[in-house]
Amino acid sequence: MARRTLPIFKNLTQRPTPAPFLPKSHPNTRSVTYMPRPGDGAPRPVTLIPGDGIGPLVTNAVEQVMEAMHAPVYFERYDVHGDMKRVPPEVIESIRKNKVCLKGGLKTPVGGGVSSLNVQLRKELDLYASLVNCFNLPGLPTRHENVDIVVIRENTEGEYAGLEHEVVPGVVESLKVITKFCSERIAKYAFEYSYLNNRKKVTAVHKANIMKLADGLFLESCREVATKYPSINYNEIIVDNCCMQLVSKPEQFDVMVTPNLYGNLVANTAAGIAGGTGVMPGGNVGADHAVFEQGASAGNVGNEKLWEQKKANPVALLLSSAMMLRHLQFPSFADRLETAVKRVILEGKYRTKDLGGVSTTQEVVDAVIGKLD
């Protein structure tokens, strides 16, 4: 028996060594990235605020896509409008219970005695961190390439504290409040976000050369937190120079941490550079609750023409809802949604007017549903 097997053995040893096994690349290849706990697949309630203007259009787009994916979420809808004096108590209670909210834009009247419901929500729920991700979408032409900026903004104090009064007729005093507590926690959030998302640099935006005490305290807090994250580069930039650098060389920025007002300006500037407010996702988060909405300014909330023609861009809120799904620990659903949106943008057939197309909101939604794996 040994003699018979010897030639076979020699034949085998003389064959060329096979190439090492390599897994076949396939677009649907899955990797073991998330092992759910028992019960993690139970449907989760999400508070839904359609809002004003185009808000109902784009929130309905999210509802359609979630239903098409059979995503494990269901919505509790509440009608809230920007001209209300306060956010209804039942809405606050719903968000406290569900811990997650998806929101369309709420129009804030300019001037007058009506305060912003957006600011009310942030303060009531202590949503102290606003996050806007401004990045190039493949297939969408922009002036700058390699833009991938995350703007993390303190959300509860600064100029948005709303502390204003008329000293004497014709003289109004508006107070900017900066505290050590709020500055430290937004700095910690920015560095923690960078650490968990493999980001390499945090830039603090300030005007401490003029507001030496207020912005000086913000910078002092950022510097202290930075010492606890030696693997992350830290630098600082004055806000006016920051705006100039953003429009000339935005790829130099990674994560930016800002006080309240500067963050609003920087996020909208970065969004315009990377493709427009209609495609930038974002959200507001605190220790216990999170509200997801269009990342940069919803300046088109009251655009009646967009509403009448049903041509509002749903991309920003769709991507924000993908962020929400990750927050809820449904990563595969988030990946499917984000991938489908990016495929539609890359293909370029269905785009709304702000992206150079003529499509309606519904046509974009149908295209995204068609691209779902």
Side-chain angles (χ1 to χ4, degrees):
M1 193 72 172
R3 290 179 181 175
R4 290 181 183 177
T5 57
L6 186 59
I8 299 174
F9 176 75
K10 285 183 178 179
N11 194 28
L12 286 172
T13 57
Q14 290 172 358
R15 290 179 181 176
T17 305
F21 172 76
L22 295 174
K24 294 181 180 179
S25 61
H26 190 277
N28 293 323
T29 298
R30 295 186 177 92
S31 57
V32 182
T33 56
Y34 172 61
M35 184 175 71
R37 295 163 297 184
D40 274 359
R44 295 283 299 275
V46 173
T47 305
L48 178 66
I49 301 175
D52 297 316
I54 67 169
L57 265 180
V58 293
T59 53
N60 178 255
V62 173
E63 288 182 280
Q64 289 184 60
V65 174
M66 291 290 180
E67 184 177 350
M69 287 198 302
H70 303 290
V73 298
Y74 61 93
F75 293 104
E76 296 179 357
R77 179 191 295 265
Y78 291 89
D79 287 327
V80 181
H81 301 285
D83 57 0
M84 293 179 172
K85 290 186 177 180
R86 295 201 59 81
V87 179
E90 60 270 22
V91 178
I92 298 293
E93 184 58 34
S94 174
I95 300 174
R96 290 193 191 281
K97 173 177 65 76
N98 297 334
K99 300 190 181 301
V100 177
C101 172
L102 184 71
K103 184 174 80 68
L106 291 173
K107 189 176 182 180
T108 301
V110 177
V114 180
S115 62
S116 167
L117 296 193
N118 296 303
V119 175
Q120 281 186 32
L121 267 177
R122 296 167 198 162
K123 289 184 176 180
E124 187 74 30
L125 299 168
D126 197 24
L127 304 171
Y128 67 86
S130 165
L131 186 150
V132 181
N133 191 188
C134 304
F135 57 95
N136 292 126
L137 282 164
L140 187 63
T142 58
R143 289 181 180 272
H144 299 278
E145 297 179 353
N146 303 316
V147 177
D148 187 6
I149 302 170
V150 174
V151 181
I152 294 177
R153 160 192 174 192
E154 204 292 318
N155 228 5
T156 59
E157 57 176 18
E159 293 84 353
Y160 285 63
L163 301 175
E164 295 183 313
H165 65 278
E166 189 174 39
V167 182
V168 295
V171 180
V172 173
E173 185 175 57
S174 179
L175 301 180
K176 170 177 176 172
V177 178
I178 298 288
T179 64
K180 180 78 169 176
F181 173 77
C182 289
S183 297
E184 275 190 350
R185 69 176 181 175
I186 195 64
K188 286 177 181 176
Y189 184 82
F191 277 93
E192 187 177 61
Y193 173 89
S194 302
Y195 172 69
L196 293 174
N197 288 277
N198 196 29
R199 295 278 182 161
K200 306 302 182 185
K201 182 171 69 173
V202 172
T203 301
V205 182
H206 67 95
K207 192 64 177 174
N209 57 327
I210 302 298
M211 285 169 274
K212 298 182 185 298
L213 292 179
D215 284 22
L217 178 58
F218 175 78
L219 279 187
E220 177 187 313
S221 303
C222 290
R223 290 167 185 168
E224 289 176 4
V225 174
T227 61
K228 300 174 184 177
Y229 293 85
S231 63
I232 298 172
N233 295 324
Y234 170 72
N235 66 346
E236 300 165 358
I237 189 168
I238 296 174
V239 63
D240 38 358
N241 182 34
C242 172
C243 293
M244 189 273 288
Q245 295 289 335
L246 269 174
V247 298
S248 59
K249 196 179 178 184
E251 63 275 6
Q252 68 182 289
F253 296 107
D254 191 355
V255 173
M256 308 175 78
V257 59
T258 78
N260 207 335
L261 178 61
Y262 308 157
N264 191 17
L265 304 176
V266 167
N268 279 275
T269 303
I273 289 164
T277 58
V279 294
M280 299 302 146
N284 306 279
V285 67
D288 300 309
H289 313 95
V291 174
F292 295 88
E293 58 187 336
Q294 181 172 316
S297 173
N300 56 4
V301 166
N303 190 322
E304 293 182 5
K305 184 176 287 187
L306 279 179
W307 165 250
E308 291 169 0
Q309 297 177 348
K310 310 298 183 189
K311 290 188 175 182
N313 191 346
V315 168
L317 200 64
L318 287 171
L319 292 175
S320 297
S321 65
M323 289 175 59
M324 180 189 75
L325 288 169
R326 289 197 181 93
H327 180 81
L328 291 169
Q329 297 187 330
F330 299 134
S332 65
F333 287 93
D335 291 344
R336 288 173 62 202
L337 174 51
E338 186 174 334
T339 299
V341 170
K342 288 181 177 179
R343 284 174 176 170
V344 171
I345 295 294
L346 180 61
E347 189 179 75
K349 186 178 179 181
Y350 296 99
R351 292 181 182 176
T352 49
K353 186 177 179 180
D354 58 314
L355 302 183
V358 295
S359 300
T360 64
T361 306
Q362 190 59 51
E363 286 171 341
V364 175
V365 172
D366 292 340
V368 170
I369 292 173
K371 295 293 183 183
L372 290 169
D373 282 334

